[in-house]
Amino acid sequence: MATIEHSAIVRAAPERVFALLRRVEDFADYSDLISDIEPLGDERYRWHVRALSMDWTFDVVITEVKSPDVLAWESVNGVKNQGRYHLREVPEGTEVALTLSYEIGNRFMAKAVNKAATPLVGKVSRQILERVEARLQA
């Protein structure tokens, strides 16, 4: 599995940041690449992502919720992935660290995706955290 890490500081208390990240279905409001997230019940969500000129759909289940420190998930179908947000209070607010691991089954597609994935995930993560912070500041 390929792993990508990204972190940023959000100028708000961890509890407030976590409360917005916990609303998984709202992530479509936070990134231009996420077209929709459907709540499926039982901590499951169907993600619709438009990236690399392709539409990607996958279902995830929330695997760990430890407010206000950890939110983790893994896919149950589609693109094999697992991710984790770790929040830590810092003097400026909250450091939010994202770790995302994924696996693409087709090795030719994996080569192209792996090359583009790090900047793409970084962009999505920055958008999400910037928009979460803007919502908290509003």
Side-chain angles (χ1 to χ4, degrees), residues 5-7 16 25 27 31 34 42 68 70 72 95 99 109 119-120 122 124 126:
E5 296 179 339
H6 178 260
S7 67
R16 294 184 67 215
E25 61 275 12
F27 275 45
S31 176
I34 303 169
D42 295 327
V70 175
E95 178 184 44
T99 303
M109 185 173 289
L120 195 61
V124 170
R126 275 190 306 281

Side-chain angles (χ1 to χ4, degrees), residues 34-97:
I34 303 169
S35 56
D36 190 32
I37 298 177
E38 301 172 56
L40 302 175
D42 295 327
E43 297 285 5
R44 293 176 181 259
Y45 299 87
R46 179 162 296 138
W47 288 61
H48 299 273
V49 176
R50 176 84 176 150
L52 306 173
S53 300
M54 296 178 63
D55 292 316
W56 304 80
T57 300
F58 50 92
D59 293 354
V60 302
V61 62
I62 302 298
T63 57
E64 185 179 3
V65 177
K66 195 165 97 179
S67 179
D69 304 312
V70 175
L71 178 65
W73 65 91
E74 68 181 12
S75 63
V76 293
N77 64 27
V79 177
K80 185 175 181 179
N81 71 88
Q82 57 190 40
R84 176 185 191 89
Y85 278 116
H86 183 261
L87 287 72
R88 180 174 72 86
E89 188 168 8
V90 295
E92 303 89 346
T94 303
E95 178 184 44
V96 181

